[in-house]
Amino acid sequence: PQGRIEVAPKEPSQLPPKPAPSPEAENGEIRLSPSSQSADTAAQEQLKAANSIYSRKMYDYAIMEYEKFLVTYPSAEGGDMAMFRLAESHRMLGNEEAARSGYERLLQEFRKGEFAGAAAYRLGEYLYADKKYDLALIQFRLAAAESAGDEVRLSAKYNAARALDRLKRPSEAARLYEEVSKV
């Protein structure tokens, strides 16, 4: 018939060899196996990548990587660091509301540790600027107790004294000012 092309079947010797069945596909079924990388290792690699981007001050990309880490590995070690640096990245980009809510979230989940202290300090700054001196005082006291660095601890005490001044509690403020002045 016209317009019809027929192709003769190839001889078995002319057919390409069949690929050997892979371990993933036997009998037409796909087998799934866990990754050879442990979840802990994968989490730490993700956090390391985010930290690398953060250290290069590429905050918009760091935000994406920290969010990915926090969503993918919600209970992994380093969550407090990731939350803090996520909030800091927002702050550095001028996203004040996102930064503030990030610090608040960190403090809801982690009340102890270096990053809790740093987040409390930042939140205290926001609250003080909003003239919420009683709430700022709470955050500066937490920062003074939990911060690892002497500089942050000292600054937190000074700002707590300033909040006490605004709250008309001069004797308490004077004690903190005295502590700061001794250093």
Side-chain angles (χ1 to χ4, degrees):
Q2 191 175 22
R4 189 167 168 199
I5 300 174
E6 288 191 34
V7 178
K10 291 186 178 183
E11 294 294 318
S13 64
Q14 295 177 329
L15 293 174
K18 281 189 173 181
S22 68
E24 294 86 22
E26 291 179 12
N27 301 327
E29 293 181 23
I30 297 176
R31 288 184 29 209
L32 299 175
S33 62
S35 168
S36 60
Q37 190 178 38
S38 74
D40 289 341
T41 304
Q44 291 313 304
E45 287 298 317
Q46 176 65 39
L47 184 57
K48 184 178 174 182
N51 287 338
S52 175
I53 294 167
Y54 178 85
S55 71
R56 290 181 288 191
K57 299 179 181 183
M58 298 169 62
Y59 301 117
D60 47 350
Y61 294 112
I63 287 169
M64 292 185 299
E65 294 302 314
Y66 284 124
E67 286 175 344
K68 182 178 173 183
F69 171 81
L70 291 166
V71 168
T72 308
Y73 309 103
S75 59
E77 185 178 330
D80 55 347
M81 176 194 298
M83 283 184 197
F84 180 75
R85 289 186 173 168
L86 173 61
E88 282 289 282
S89 295
H90 279 295
R91 185 180 71 83
M92 296 304 287
L93 293 173
N95 304 331
E96 299 297 321
E97 285 305 311
R100 188 174 182 156
S101 69
Y103 299 128
E104 289 170 347
R105 177 181 171 204
L106 189 153
L107 290 169
Q108 287 171 352
E109 295 187 30
F110 301 93
R111 292 297 294 173
K112 299 276 182 204
E114 173 185 1
F115 293 102
Y121 185 86
R122 290 286 189 221
L123 190 54
E125 289 178 320
Y126 285 119
L127 293 165
Y128 190 91
D130 290 344
K131 299 180 181 182
K132 296 179 180 177
Y133 305 117
D134 52 340
L135 298 174
L137 176 62
I138 293 167
Q139 297 306 318
F140 288 130
R141 284 182 171 163
L142 177 61
E146 293 299 323
S147 292
D150 292 335
E151 190 176 316
V152 175
R153 209 174 10 259
L154 189 64
S155 186
K157 284 182 181 182
Y158 173 75
N159 283 308
R162 290 178 56 218
L164 286 165
D165 268 342
R166 296 290 188 161
L167 292 169
K168 311 236 183 288
R169 294 162 58 184
S171 61
E172 291 176 78
R175 277 194 303 270
L176 282 178
Y177 283 133
E178 190 175 322
E179 277 183 48
V180 170
S181 69
K182 286 180 183 177
V183 176

PDB file of all heavy atoms in Angstrom, residues 46-80:
ATOM      1  N   GLN A  46      23.622  20.779  55.600  1.00  0.00           N
ATOM      2  CA  GLN A  46      22.716  21.877  55.245  1.00  0.00           C
ATOM      3  C   GLN A  46      23.015  23.110  56.097  1.00  0.00           C
ATOM      4  O   GLN A  46      23.076  24.220  55.586  1.00  0.00           O
ATOM      5  CB  GLN A  46      21.255  21.445  55.427  1.00  0.00           C
ATOM      6  CG  GLN A  46      20.238  22.540  55.176  1.00  0.00           C
ATOM      7  CD  GLN A  46      20.224  23.020  53.741  1.00  0.00           C
ATOM      8  OE1 GLN A  46      20.346  22.239  52.819  1.00  0.00           O
ATOM      9  NE2 GLN A  46      20.089  24.322  53.549  1.00  0.00           N
ATOM     10  N   LEU A  47      23.213  22.898  57.391  1.00  0.00           N
ATOM     11  CA  LEU A  47      23.525  24.013  58.290  1.00  0.00           C
ATOM     12  C   LEU A  47      24.878  24.633  57.930  1.00  0.00           C
ATOM     13  O   LEU A  47      25.024  25.858  57.924  1.00  0.00           O
ATOM     14  CB  LEU A  47      23.517  23.541  59.745  1.00  0.00           C
ATOM     15  CG  LEU A  47      23.741  24.618  60.803  1.00  0.00           C
ATOM     16  CD1 LEU A  47      22.712  25.739  60.683  1.00  0.00           C
ATOM     17  CD2 LEU A  47      23.695  23.998  62.193  1.00  0.00           C
ATOM     18  N   LYS A  48      25.835  23.801  57.605  1.00  0.00           N
ATOM     19  CA  LYS A  48      27.160  24.293  57.208  1.00  0.00           C
ATOM     20  C   LYS A  48      27.049  25.157  55.947  1.00  0.00           C
ATOM     21  O   LYS A  48      27.686  26.212  55.857  1.00  0.00           O
ATOM     22  CB  LYS A  48      28.090  23.107  56.966  1.00  0.00           C
ATOM     23  CG  LYS A  48      29.501  23.467  56.656  1.00  0.00           C
ATOM     24  CD  LYS A  48      30.344  22.199  56.478  1.00  0.00           C
ATOM     25  CE  LYS A  48      31.745  22.523  56.032  1.00  0.00           C
ATOM     26  NZ  LYS A  48      32.550  21.303  55.815  1.00  0.00           N
ATOM     27  N   ALA A  49      26.256  24.722  54.990  1.00  0.00           N
ATOM     28  CA  ALA A  49      26.058  25.493  53.759  1.00  0.00           C
ATOM     29  C   ALA A  49      25.411  26.849  54.068  1.00  0.00           C
ATOM     30  O   ALA A  49      25.836  27.889  53.551  1.00  0.00           O
ATOM     31  CB  ALA A  49      25.203  24.706  52.768  1.00  0.00           C
ATOM     32  N   ALA A  50      24.396  26.838  54.924  1.00  0.00           N
ATOM     33  CA  ALA A  50      23.720  28.086  55.296  1.00  0.00           C
ATOM     34  C   ALA A  50      24.687  29.021  56.016  1.00  0.00           C
ATOM     35  O   ALA A  50      24.725  30.230  55.734  1.00  0.00           O
ATOM     36  CB  ALA A  50      22.510  27.777  56.174  1.00  0.00           C
ATOM     37  N   ASN A  51      25.485  28.479  56.926  1.00  0.00           N
ATOM     38  CA  ASN A  51      26.455  29.294  57.664  1.00  0.00           C
ATOM     39  C   ASN A  51      27.503  29.898  56.734  1.00  0.00           C
ATOM     40  O   ASN A  51      27.935  31.037  56.929  1.00  0.00           O
ATOM     41  CB  ASN A  51      27.143  28.472  58.754  1.00  0.00           C
ATOM     42  CG  ASN A  51      26.224  28.191  59.921  1.00  0.00           C
ATOM     43  OD1 ASN A  51      25.239  28.893  60.140  1.00  0.00           O
ATOM     44  ND2 ASN A  51      26.532  27.154  60.674  1.00  0.00           N
ATOM     45  N   SER A  52      27.897  29.143  55.734  1.00  0.00           N
ATOM     46  CA  SER A  52      28.879  29.641  54.774  1.00  0.00           C
ATOM     47  C   SER A  52      28.322  30.838  54.012  1.00  0.00           C
ATOM     48  O   SER A  52      29.016  31.841  53.824  1.00  0.00           O
ATOM     49  CB  SER A  52      29.269  28.518  53.809  1.00  0.00           C
ATOM     50  OG  SER A  52      30.119  29.000  52.815  1.00  0.00           O
ATOM     51  N   ILE A  53      27.094  30.743  53.598  1.00  0.00           N
ATOM     52  CA  ILE A  53      26.448  31.842  52.871  1.00  0.00           C
ATOM     53  C   ILE A  53      26.282  33.055  53.792  1.00  0.00           C
ATOM     54  O   ILE A  53      26.540  34.193  53.411  1.00  0.00           O
ATOM     55  CB  ILE A  53      25.102  31.376  52.284  1.00  0.00           C
ATOM     56  CG1 ILE A  53      25.353  30.307  51.216  1.00  0.00           C
ATOM     57  CG2 ILE A  53      24.302  32.546  51.727  1.00  0.00           C
ATOM     58  CD1 ILE A  53      24.120  29.554  50.784  1.00  0.00           C
ATOM     59  N   TYR A  54      25.881  32.792  55.028  1.00  0.00           N
ATOM     60  CA  TYR A  54      25.705  33.857  56.025  1.00  0.00           C
ATOM     61  C   TYR A  54      27.033  34.581  56.271  1.00  0.00           C
ATOM     62  O   TYR A  54      27.071  35.808  56.333  1.00  0.00           O
ATOM     63  CB  TYR A  54      25.170  33.244  57.315  1.00  0.00           C
ATOM     64  CG  TYR A  54      24.987  34.212  58.450  1.00  0.00           C
ATOM     65  CD1 TYR A  54      23.827  34.969  58.564  1.00  0.00           C
ATOM     66  CD2 TYR A  54      25.964  34.364  59.431  1.00  0.00           C
ATOM     67  CE1 TYR A  54      23.643  35.851  59.616  1.00  0.00           C
ATOM     68  CE2 TYR A  54      25.802  35.239  60.487  1.00  0.00           C
ATOM     69  CZ  TYR A  54      24.639  35.985  60.574  1.00  0.00           C
ATOM     70  OH  TYR A  54      24.473  36.853  61.612  1.00  0.00           O
ATOM     71  N   SER A  55      28.113  33.821  56.383  1.00  0.00           N
ATOM     72  CA  SER A  55      29.419  34.432  56.661  1.00  0.00           C
ATOM     73  C   SER A  55      29.897  35.312  55.513  1.00  0.00           C
ATOM     74  O   SER A  55      30.696  36.220  55.716  1.00  0.00           O
ATOM     75  CB  SER A  55      30.461  33.357  56.979  1.00  0.00           C
ATOM     76  OG  SER A  55      30.785  32.622  55.822  1.00  0.00           O
ATOM     77  N   ARG A  56      29.393  35.065  54.308  1.00  0.00           N
ATOM     78  CA  ARG A  56      29.727  35.900  53.157  1.00  0.00           C
ATOM     79  C   ARG A  56      28.766  37.071  52.998  1.00  0.00           C
ATOM     80  O   ARG A  56      28.782  37.769  51.984  1.00  0.00           O
ATOM     81  CB  ARG A  56      29.762  35.053  51.889  1.00  0.00           C
ATOM     82  CG  ARG A  56      30.968  34.113  51.886  1.00  0.00           C
ATOM     83  CD  ARG A  56      31.007  33.317  50.638  1.00  0.00           C
ATOM     84  NE  ARG A  56      29.914  32.343  50.721  1.00  0.00           N
ATOM     85  CZ  ARG A  56      29.735  31.335  49.912  1.00  0.00           C
ATOM     86  NH1 ARG A  56      30.539  31.149  48.912  1.00  0.00           N
ATOM     87  NH2 ARG A  56      28.739  30.499  50.077  1.00  0.00           N
ATOM     88  N   LYS A  57      27.893  37.244  53.981  1.00  0.00           N
ATOM     89  CA  LYS A  57      26.938  38.357  54.038  1.00  0.00           C
ATOM     90  C   LYS A  57      25.955  38.361  52.873  1.00  0.00           C
ATOM     91  O   LYS A  57      25.486  39.407  52.441  1.00  0.00           O
ATOM     92  CB  LYS A  57      27.669  39.688  54.149  1.00  0.00           C
ATOM     93  CG  LYS A  57      28.517  39.768  55.408  1.00  0.00           C
ATOM     94  CD  LYS A  57      29.251  41.053  55.526  1.00  0.00           C
ATOM     95  CE  LYS A  57      30.078  40.986  56.799  1.00  0.00           C
ATOM     96  NZ  LYS A  57      30.786  42.197  57.067  1.00  0.00           N
ATOM     97  N   MET A  58      25.636  37.172  52.393  1.00  0.00           N
ATOM     98  CA  MET A  58      24.640  37.017  51.326  1.00  0.00           C
ATOM     99  C   MET A  58      23.316  36.643  52.017  1.00  0.00           C
ATOM    100  O   MET A  58      22.838  35.524  51.925  1.00  0.00           O
ATOM    101  CB  MET A  58      25.102  35.944  50.346  1.00  0.00           C
ATOM    102  CG  MET A  58      26.411  36.309  49.662  1.00  0.00           C
ATOM    103  SD  MET A  58      27.159  34.951  48.750  1.00  0.00           S
ATOM    104  CE  MET A  58      25.914  34.611  47.523  1.00  0.00           C
ATOM    105  N   TYR A  59      22.767  37.616  52.725  1.00  0.00           N
ATOM    106  CA  TYR A  59      21.663  37.352  53.643  1.00  0.00           C
ATOM    107  C   TYR A  59      20.403  36.837  52.966  1.00  0.00           C
ATOM    108  O   TYR A  59      19.695  36.014  53.534  1.00  0.00           O
ATOM    109  CB  TYR A  59      21.373  38.599  54.482  1.00  0.00           C
ATOM    110  CG  TYR A  59      22.571  39.037  55.277  1.00  0.00           C
ATOM    111  CD1 TYR A  59      23.172  40.271  55.053  1.00  0.00           C
ATOM    112  CD2 TYR A  59      23.130  38.204  56.241  1.00  0.00           C
ATOM    113  CE1 TYR A  59      24.288  40.666  55.779  1.00  0.00           C
ATOM    114  CE2 TYR A  59      24.245  38.588  56.975  1.00  0.00           C
ATOM    115  CZ  TYR A  59      24.818  39.820  56.729  1.00  0.00           C
ATOM    116  OH  TYR A  59      25.919  40.196  57.439  1.00  0.00           O
ATOM    117  N   ASP A  60      20.105  37.304  51.773  1.00  0.00           N
ATOM    118  CA  ASP A  60      18.895  36.832  51.098  1.00  0.00           C
ATOM    119  C   ASP A  60      18.993  35.337  50.793  1.00  0.00           C
ATOM    120  O   ASP A  60      18.024  34.592  50.951  1.00  0.00           O
ATOM    121  CB  ASP A  60      18.593  37.642  49.835  1.00  0.00           C
ATOM    122  CG  ASP A  60      19.803  37.856  48.937  1.00  0.00           C
ATOM    123  OD1 ASP A  60      20.940  37.547  49.360  1.00  0.00           O
ATOM    124  OD2 ASP A  60      19.615  38.325  47.807  1.00  0.00           O
ATOM    125  N   TYR A  61      20.178  34.869  50.398  1.00  0.00           N
ATOM    126  CA  TYR A  61      20.362  33.435  50.149  1.00  0.00           C
ATOM    127  C   TYR A  61      20.441  32.652  51.463  1.00  0.00           C
ATOM    128  O   TYR A  61      19.973  31.521  51.548  1.00  0.00           O
ATOM    129  CB  TYR A  61      21.609  33.182  49.299  1.00  0.00           C
ATOM    130  CG  TYR A  61      21.491  33.741  47.913  1.00  0.00           C
ATOM    131  CD1 TYR A  61      22.279  34.816  47.518  1.00  0.00           C
ATOM    132  CD2 TYR A  61      20.585  33.221  46.999  1.00  0.00           C
ATOM    133  CE1 TYR A  61      22.167  35.348  46.240  1.00  0.00           C
ATOM    134  CE2 TYR A  61      20.465  33.746  45.718  1.00  0.00           C
ATOM    135  CZ  TYR A  61      21.256  34.808  45.354  1.00  0.00           C
ATOM    136  OH  TYR A  61      21.132  35.329  44.097  1.00  0.00           O
ATOM    137  N   ALA A  62      21.030  33.261  52.467  1.00  0.00           N
ATOM    138  CA  ALA A  62      21.121  32.605  53.775  1.00  0.00           C
ATOM    139  C   ALA A  62      19.719  32.347  54.336  1.00  0.00           C
ATOM    140  O   ALA A  62      19.470  31.289  54.921  1.00  0.00           O
ATOM    141  CB  ALA A  62      21.939  33.455  54.738  1.00  0.00           C
ATOM    142  N   ILE A  63      18.817  33.280  54.142  1.00  0.00           N
ATOM    143  CA  ILE A  63      17.435  33.107  54.612  1.00  0.00           C
ATOM    144  C   ILE A  63      16.842  31.829  54.032  1.00  0.00           C
ATOM    145  O   ILE A  63      16.266  31.015  54.753  1.00  0.00           O
ATOM    146  CB  ILE A  63      16.570  34.339  54.248  1.00  0.00           C
ATOM    147  CG1 ILE A  63      16.951  35.513  55.146  1.00  0.00           C
ATOM    148  CG2 ILE A  63      15.078  34.027  54.365  1.00  0.00           C
ATOM    149  CD1 ILE A  63      16.356  36.847  54.708  1.00  0.00           C
ATOM    150  N   MET A  64      17.007  31.647  52.731  1.00  0.00           N
ATOM    151  CA  MET A  64      16.448  30.446  52.079  1.00  0.00           C
ATOM    152  C   MET A  64      17.078  29.172  52.651  1.00  0.00           C
ATOM    153  O   MET A  64      16.376  28.192  52.899  1.00  0.00           O
ATOM    154  CB  MET A  64      16.670  30.509  50.568  1.00  0.00           C
ATOM    155  CG  MET A  64      15.854  31.592  49.889  1.00  0.00           C
ATOM    156  SD  MET A  64      15.989  31.595  48.078  1.00  0.00           S
ATOM    157  CE  MET A  64      17.721  31.892  47.816  1.00  0.00           C
ATOM    158  N   GLU A  65      18.380  29.191  52.869  1.00  0.00           N
ATOM    159  CA  GLU A  65      19.066  27.990  53.353  1.00  0.00           C
ATOM    160  C   GLU A  65      18.713  27.679  54.808  1.00  0.00           C
ATOM    161  O   GLU A  65      18.549  26.519  55.172  1.00  0.00           O
ATOM    162  CB  GLU A  65      20.576  28.130  53.181  1.00  0.00           C
ATOM    163  CG  GLU A  65      21.013  28.177  51.734  1.00  0.00           C
ATOM    164  CD  GLU A  65      20.594  26.947  50.935  1.00  0.00           C
ATOM    165  OE1 GLU A  65      20.773  25.809  51.418  1.00  0.00           O
ATOM    166  OE2 GLU A  65      20.095  27.118  49.808  1.00  0.00           O
ATOM    167  N   TYR A  66      18.599  28.710  55.648  1.00  0.00           N
ATOM    168  CA  TYR A  66      18.212  28.471  57.042  1.00  0.00           C
ATOM    169  C   TYR A  66      16.764  27.981  57.127  1.00  0.00           C
ATOM    170  O   TYR A  66      16.449  27.094  57.915  1.00  0.00           O
ATOM    171  CB  TYR A  66      18.409  29.723  57.898  1.00  0.00           C
ATOM    172  CG  TYR A  66      19.854  29.991  58.233  1.00  0.00           C
ATOM    173  CD1 TYR A  66      20.454  31.196  57.913  1.00  0.00           C
ATOM    174  CD2 TYR A  66      20.637  29.018  58.864  1.00  0.00           C
ATOM    175  CE1 TYR A  66      21.787  31.438  58.219  1.00  0.00           C
ATOM    176  CE2 TYR A  66      21.967  29.259  59.173  1.00  0.00           C
ATOM    177  CZ  TYR A  66      22.533  30.466  58.844  1.00  0.00           C
ATOM    178  OH  TYR A  66      23.851  30.699  59.148  1.00  0.00           O
ATOM    179  N   GLU A  67      15.886  28.557  56.309  1.00  0.00           N
ATOM    180  CA  GLU A  67      14.499  28.088  56.297  1.00  0.00           C
ATOM    181  C   GLU A  67      14.428  26.631  55.847  1.00  0.00           C
ATOM    182  O   GLU A  67      13.687  25.838  56.424  1.00  0.00           O
ATOM    183  CB  GLU A  67      13.640  28.980  55.404  1.00  0.00           C
ATOM    184  CG  GLU A  67      13.351  30.326  56.023  1.00  0.00           C
ATOM    185  CD  GLU A  67      12.595  31.275  55.125  1.00  0.00           C
ATOM    186  OE1 GLU A  67      12.521  31.036  53.889  1.00  0.00           O
ATOM    187  OE2 GLU A  67      12.072  32.280  55.650  1.00  0.00           O
ATOM    188  N   LYS A  68      15.197  26.288  54.838  1.00  0.00           N
ATOM    189  CA  LYS A  68      15.238  24.908  54.355  1.00  0.00           C
ATOM    190  C   LYS A  68      15.706  23.975  55.481  1.00  0.00           C
ATOM    191  O   LYS A  68      15.112  22.915  55.707  1.00  0.00           O
ATOM    192  CB  LYS A  68      16.179  24.811  53.150  1.00  0.00           C
ATOM    193  CG  LYS A  68      16.281  23.442  52.531  1.00  0.00           C
ATOM    194  CD  LYS A  68      17.199  23.492  51.308  1.00  0.00           C
ATOM    195  CE  LYS A  68      17.464  22.125  50.745  1.00  0.00           C
ATOM    196  NZ  LYS A  68      18.406  22.181  49.611  1.00  0.00           N
ATOM    197  N   PHE A  69      16.750  24.372  56.184  1.00  0.00           N
ATOM    198  CA  PHE A  69      17.267  23.578  57.298  1.00  0.00           C
ATOM    199  C   PHE A  69      16.193  23.393  58.374  1.00  0.00           C
ATOM    200  O   PHE A  69      15.954  22.277  58.849  1.00  0.00           O
ATOM    201  CB  PHE A  69      18.504  24.252  57.905  1.00  0.00           C
ATOM    202  CG  PHE A  69      18.968  23.616  59.184  1.00  0.00           C
ATOM    203  CD1 PHE A  69      19.751  22.468  59.162  1.00  0.00           C
ATOM    204  CD2 PHE A  69      18.632  24.161  60.415  1.00  0.00           C
ATOM    205  CE1 PHE A  69      20.179  21.867  60.339  1.00  0.00           C
ATOM    206  CE2 PHE A  69      19.058  23.582  61.591  1.00  0.00           C
ATOM    207  CZ  PHE A  69      19.830  22.419  61.558  1.00  0.00           C
ATOM    208  N   LEU A  70      15.541  24.484  58.756  1.00  0.00           N
ATOM    209  CA  LEU A  70      14.561  24.424  59.851  1.00  0.00           C
ATOM    210  C   LEU A  70      13.318  23.615  59.487  1.00  0.00           C
ATOM    211  O   LEU A  70      12.732  22.957  60.341  1.00  0.00           O
ATOM    212  CB  LEU A  70      14.175  25.838  60.283  1.00  0.00           C
ATOM    213  CG  LEU A  70      15.301  26.608  60.982  1.00  0.00           C
ATOM    214  CD1 LEU A  70      14.961  28.085  61.080  1.00  0.00           C
ATOM    215  CD2 LEU A  70      15.582  26.007  62.349  1.00  0.00           C
ATOM    216  N   VAL A  71      12.930  23.632  58.217  1.00  0.00           N
ATOM    217  CA  VAL A  71      11.765  22.866  57.774  1.00  0.00           C
ATOM    218  C   VAL A  71      12.124  21.389  57.612  1.00  0.00           C
ATOM    219  O   VAL A  71      11.386  20.512  58.034  1.00  0.00           O
ATOM    220  CB  VAL A  71      11.197  23.444  56.452  1.00  0.00           C
ATOM    221  CG1 VAL A  71      10.194  22.505  55.818  1.00  0.00           C
ATOM    222  CG2 VAL A  71      10.572  24.801  56.704  1.00  0.00           C
ATOM    223  N   THR A  72      13.270  21.134  57.005  1.00  0.00           N
ATOM    224  CA  THR A  72      13.671  19.760  56.710  1.00  0.00           C
ATOM    225  C   THR A  72      14.129  19.006  57.954  1.00  0.00           C
ATOM    226  O   THR A  72      13.869  17.814  58.091  1.00  0.00           O
ATOM    227  CB  THR A  72      14.792  19.742  55.651  1.00  0.00           C
ATOM    228  OG1 THR A  72      14.370  20.516  54.528  1.00  0.00           O
ATOM    229  CG2 THR A  72      15.101  18.333  55.197  1.00  0.00           C
ATOM    230  N   TYR A  73      14.809  19.704  58.851  1.00  0.00           N
ATOM    231  CA  TYR A  73      15.383  19.066  60.048  1.00  0.00           C
ATOM    232  C   TYR A  73      14.948  19.825  61.302  1.00  0.00           C
ATOM    233  O   TYR A  73      15.763  20.459  61.977  1.00  0.00           O
ATOM    234  CB  TYR A  73      16.914  19.043  59.948  1.00  0.00           C
ATOM    235  CG  TYR A  73      17.422  18.480  58.647  1.00  0.00           C
ATOM    236  CD1 TYR A  73      17.912  19.310  57.641  1.00  0.00           C
ATOM    237  CD2 TYR A  73      17.395  17.109  58.418  1.00  0.00           C
ATOM    238  CE1 TYR A  73      18.371  18.785  56.441  1.00  0.00           C
ATOM    239  CE2 TYR A  73      17.847  16.583  57.213  1.00  0.00           C
ATOM    240  CZ  TYR A  73      18.334  17.432  56.236  1.00  0.00           C
ATOM    241  OH  TYR A  73      18.776  16.907  55.043  1.00  0.00           O
ATOM    242  N   PRO A  74      13.659  19.799  61.642  1.00  0.00           N
ATOM    243  CA  PRO A  74      13.158  20.637  62.740  1.00  0.00           C
ATOM    244  C   PRO A  74      13.743  20.323  64.116  1.00  0.00           C
ATOM    245  O   PRO A  74      13.769  21.188  64.986  1.00  0.00           O
ATOM    246  CB  PRO A  74      11.646  20.391  62.713  1.00  0.00           C
ATOM    247  CG  PRO A  74      11.479  19.092  62.015  1.00  0.00           C
ATOM    248  CD  PRO A  74      12.615  18.985  61.049  1.00  0.00           C
ATOM    249  N   SER A  75      14.227  19.112  64.321  1.00  0.00           N
ATOM    250  CA  SER A  75      14.764  18.782  65.640  1.00  0.00           C
ATOM    251  C   SER A  75      16.270  18.540  65.612  1.00  0.00           C
ATOM    252  O   SER A  75      16.830  18.001  66.560  1.00  0.00           O
ATOM    253  CB  SER A  75      14.036  17.555  66.208  1.00  0.00           C
ATOM    254  OG  SER A  75      14.212  16.456  65.331  1.00  0.00           O
ATOM    255  N   ALA A  76      16.918  18.962  64.549  1.00  0.00           N
ATOM    256  CA  ALA A  76      18.363  18.750  64.414  1.00  0.00           C
ATOM    257  C   ALA A  76      19.136  19.682  65.343  1.00  0.00           C
ATOM    258  O   ALA A  76      18.670  20.771  65.704  1.00  0.00           O
ATOM    259  CB  ALA A  76      18.810  18.979  62.979  1.00  0.00           C
ATOM    260  N   GLU A  77      20.318  19.248  65.694  1.00  0.00           N
ATOM    261  CA  GLU A  77      21.218  20.070  66.480  1.00  0.00           C
ATOM    262  C   GLU A  77      21.557  21.323  65.676  1.00  0.00           C
ATOM    263  O   GLU A  77      21.744  21.272  64.463  1.00  0.00           O
ATOM    264  CB  GLU A  77      22.494  19.275  66.769  1.00  0.00           C
ATOM    265  CG  GLU A  77      23.451  19.983  67.690  1.00  0.00           C
ATOM    266  CD  GLU A  77      24.677  19.143  67.996  1.00  0.00           C
ATOM    267  OE1 GLU A  77      24.555  17.900  68.007  1.00  0.00           O
ATOM    268  OE2 GLU A  77      25.738  19.737  68.206  1.00  0.00           O
ATOM    269  N   GLY A  78      21.608  22.454  66.349  1.00  0.00           N
ATOM    270  CA  GLY A  78      21.925  23.706  65.668  1.00  0.00           C
ATOM    271  C   GLY A  78      20.700  24.517  65.301  1.00  0.00           C
ATOM    272  O   GLY A  78      20.820  25.556  64.656  1.00  0.00           O
ATOM    273  N   GLY A  79      19.527  24.072  65.730  1.00  0.00           N
ATOM    274  CA  GLY A  79      18.298  24.811  65.420  1.00  0.00           C
ATOM    275  C   GLY A  79      18.300  26.210  65.996  1.00  0.00           C
ATOM    276  O   GLY A  79      17.811  27.142  65.357  1.00  0.00           O
ATOM    277  N   ASP A  80      18.871  26.367  67.200  1.00  0.00           N
ATOM    278  CA  ASP A  80      18.918  27.697  67.804  1.00  0.00           C
ATOM    279  C   ASP A  80      19.816  28.633  66.995  1.00  0.00           C
ATOM    280  O   ASP A  80      19.471  29.788  66.752  1.00  0.00           O
ATOM    281  CB  ASP A  80      19.342  27.631  69.266  1.00  0.00           C
ATOM    282  CG  ASP A  80      20.670  26.916  69.504  1.00  0.00           C
ATOM    283  OD1 ASP A  80      21.182  26.233  68.589  1.00  0.00           O
ATOM    284  OD2 ASP A  80      21.198  27.021  70.633  1.00  0.00           O
TER     285      ASP A  80
END
